Amino acid sequence: MPFNGLPIGVALSGGTAKAVAHIGALQALQESELPINRISGASGGSMVAVFFASGMSVQRMTEVASTLSWGKLVKIRLSRLGVISSKPIEEFVREQVGDLEFSELNIPCSVIATDLATGERKAFESGDVARAVRASCTIPQIFLPVEIGDRYYVDGGFSEYLPIETLREKDEMFVIGVHLAHKVPMYGRPRNYLQLAIHITGLVARTNYVVSMRKADILIHPDMDDFSPFDFEPSERLVKAGYDATVRMIPDIVKAWKRKNSRLRRLLRRMSPHRS
């Protein structure tokens, strides 16, 4: 069916390695012919959001995901602020999409990071795409903070793990949230420093994503309980999990979009100065 009227925005949550599941969700939305007019992403979701907004095909994104490893995304670097640099994340994004500015993307895209000094959300929507993604993915207990302008930024999940509010601040739209937090929270004992850092990040994110979930017009929540945020190995299964969960939601998404679109049209007709 044609989706004329209310634009559609998609918010992609964080999830570290689990963010690969967003690719499957976007594939299902594309196959249903639901247009995505704007996209936002935090942490791992920011990378998928930027790839999609750049025009990268789902097939290509799936191929790229199969090559991911921590070795590609981290680099040891001695500094008074830490020892691990997220510079390889920035280089990886440039390798895939080039030296893009946000204005060059095919659709509007917001990349969420957190101002290290204030803890406030920063939605990057202009400037260097790859550097913004790097900032959004920079877990502070692991990576050095990223300097952009005169500010330091870290992981977007600390301020808006599921960036629905960012979309709500734009024009009126139908907002789909794709949420990858575990349905059963993982509170086991961390086995190493990486797990400890991601565990802490998840606890902080949990305080803000509960609020965000309520603000979506519809929420897609794939079952991620069998997946680890540390493991890129099951990329095909992650894509499939995101795809299957979204396919099941398509009828509900279409119905919800129709209802909201109809309400908006009725409201606009009532507000029209030419109405007799």
Side-chain angles (χ1 to χ4, degrees):
M1 62 165 286
F3 290 86
N4 298 319
L6 192 64
I8 296 173
V10 176
L12 305 182
S13 77
T16 318
K18 295 181 299 176
V20 172
H22 287 312
I23 299 170
L26 293 172
Q27 178 184 358
L29 292 172
Q30 278 192 322
E31 289 178 359
S32 71
E33 299 184 355
L34 279 155
I36 298 175
N37 305 105
R38 181 180 283 272
I39 195 165
S40 63
S43 195
S46 72
M47 187 180 296
V48 179
V50 159
F51 286 172
F52 184 84
S54 74
M56 185 183 293
S57 69
V58 167
Q59 180 180 354
R60 176 58 185 159
M61 280 192 276
T62 303
E63 292 170 357
V64 169
S66 70
T67 72
L68 282 173
S69 68
W70 287 106
K72 279 192 172 184
L73 302 178
V74 303
K75 178 171 64 177
I76 303 299
R77 175 188 164 194
L78 295 177
S79 165
R80 57 192 172 84
L81 294 178
V83 297
I84 301 179
S85 170
S86 57
K87 177 71 171 175
I89 295 175
E90 181 177 340
E91 293 169 345
F92 179 77
V93 174
R94 289 192 199 284
E95 179 183 314
Q96 301 305 321
V97 303
D99 293 318
L100 288 180
E101 301 279 314
F102 278 88
S103 60
E104 298 176 281
L105 295 172
N106 289 2
I107 62 171
C109 178
S110 302
V111 167
I112 310 305
T114 303
D115 188 311
L116 185 59
T118 65
E120 295 176 347
R121 174 191 63 180
K122 169 65 176 178
F124 285 99
E125 295 163 350
S126 63
D128 188 327
V129 166
R131 194 162 184 83
V133 171
R134 174 186 172 188
S136 185
C137 294
T138 294
I139 301 170
Q141 297 94 340
I142 300 175
F143 297 120
L144 301 169
V146 176
E147 187 174 8
I148 301 178
D150 61 351
R151 313 292 293 181
Y152 281 110
Y153 295 97
V154 294
D155 196 303
F158 277 88
S159 53
E160 196 181 16
Y161 178 86
L162 180 60
I164 289 170
E165 292 97 326
T166 294
L167 294 178
R168 287 275 176 236
E169 293 168 359
K170 310 305 175 186
D171 296 335
E172 182 69 30
M173 69 180 70
F174 181 84
V175 177
I176 301 168
V178 187
H179 183 37
L180 300 183
H182 285 95
K183 294 181 179 181
V184 178
M186 297 177 66
Y187 294 122
R189 177 180 295 180
R191 293 192 297 272
N192 54 54
Y193 185 71
L194 174 63
Q195 291 188 7
L196 174 63
I198 294 180
H199 184 85
I200 293 170
T201 302
L203 290 174
V204 175
R206 191 172 178 81
T207 65
N208 68 62
Y209 73 59
V210 172
V211 175
S212 299
M213 288 166 61
R214 302 189 189 110
K215 297 183 179 181
D217 288 300
I218 202 153
L219 190 71
I220 301 167
H221 196 172
D223 187 350
M224 295 282 104
D225 288 354
D226 290 337
F227 297 98
S228 167
F230 317 106
D231 189 4
F232 290 104
E233 186 67 28
S235 62
E236 289 187 13
R237 291 197 297 119
L238 281 163
V239 171
K240 187 176 187 304
Y243 178 84
D244 290 346
T246 305
V247 166
R248 289 193 293 270
M249 292 292 296
I250 293 298
D252 294 330
I253 294 171
V254 172
K255 289 177 186 175
W257 180 87
K258 285 181 176 179
R259 285 196 301 270
K260 186 167 184 177
N261 194 53
S262 296
R263 287 198 300 268
L264 182 61
R265 285 181 173 174
R266 288 196 298 270
L267 177 63
L268 291 175
R269 283 199 296 269
R270 287 199 295 269
M271 294 174 61
S272 173
H274 303 295
R275 184 172 179 266
S276 57

